[in-house]
Amino acid sequence: MYRFILIFSLLALFGCEKLIEKTEAPQTPESVTLSFFEAIYTDRDVSKALPYVTPEMREVLEHYHIASSVQRHVLGLSMTNVTMSIDEIDIDFFRKFTDEVTIIVKMEGLKGGKPWVDDRTLRLEKQGKKWVIIEVVPEKGRING
């Protein structure tokens, strides 16, 4: 009888472990935003950025083909050696009732070979259980570090 309980317990334990492995980490607006910027500025691979945007933005990104063109024409900021962090996020604490957020990403790196600090603002929308970037907000002014 004890063997049966032990074997059943082990099977249940291993079964639960596989369930946990298969579930993805929940996406947050911050993780989607940073993954998008890492794809464009660090990996320099537009295809890696496509899962994080709406179909309309996907068409725009695909039109420019390469990361340097996306940096220049979509984000308005060509940089290298970039590090990124979330500077500000407009979202309620519990996130339960929010379907749209605005995030400001602070970027530090080199622009034309010189140190540069700037930021970009993105709007994201929750579609189902997934956050996607719906807009790169046009810049009003730039910060030079």
Side-chain angles (χ1 to χ4, degrees):
M1 179 71 175
Y2 292 112
R3 281 188 207 170
F4 175 73
I5 293 173
L6 178 65
I7 291 171
F8 181 75
S9 298
L10 288 174
L11 285 174
L13 181 64
F14 288 120
C16 289
E17 186 175 322
K18 295 202 187 265
L19 259 176
I20 292 169
E21 288 175 12
K22 289 180 183 177
T23 60
E24 291 182 17
Q27 283 189 327
T28 63
E30 297 93 335
S31 68
V32 169
T33 302
L34 289 176
S35 296
F36 172 79
F37 276 99
E38 285 173 13
I40 299 298
Y41 284 96
T42 305
D43 300 336
R44 302 181 70 79
D45 186 349
V46 174
S47 65
K48 287 184 179 180
L50 298 179
Y52 306 110
V53 300
T54 62
E56 296 80 15
M57 278 198 67
R58 181 185 187 101
E59 285 182 31
V60 173
L61 296 180
E62 288 174 335
H63 170 77
Y64 288 108
H65 301 289
I66 59 175
S68 59
S69 292
V70 171
Q71 288 179 22
R72 192 174 322 113
H73 299 289
V74 178
L75 297 166
L77 181 62
S78 295
M79 290 177 69
T80 57
N81 300 337
V82 181
T83 58
M84 295 144 288
S85 61
I86 300 297
D87 191 39
E88 187 178 319
I89 181 167
D90 174 27
I91 191 169
D92 70 79
F93 179 73
F94 296 105
R95 298 177 187 235
K96 288 182 181 180
F97 308 109
T98 303
D99 289 331
E100 194 172 299
V101 298
T102 302
I103 296 183
I104 299 173
V105 178
K106 180 180 178 183
M107 302 184 328
E108 298 179 49
L110 300 176
K111 180 177 177 181
K114 296 182 181 177
W116 190 265
V117 178
D118 215 322
D119 61 35
R120 287 295 175 264
T121 304
L122 299 179
R123 284 189 331 117
L124 286 82
E125 181 178 87
K126 191 171 190 178
Q127 296 180 349
K129 294 184 178 185
K130 185 178 175 184
W131 287 95
V132 292
I133 297 166
I134 59 173
E135 178 187 18
V136 176
V137 179
E139 291 301 307
K140 295 176 186 163
R142 297 227 167 91
I143 303 167
N144 184 8

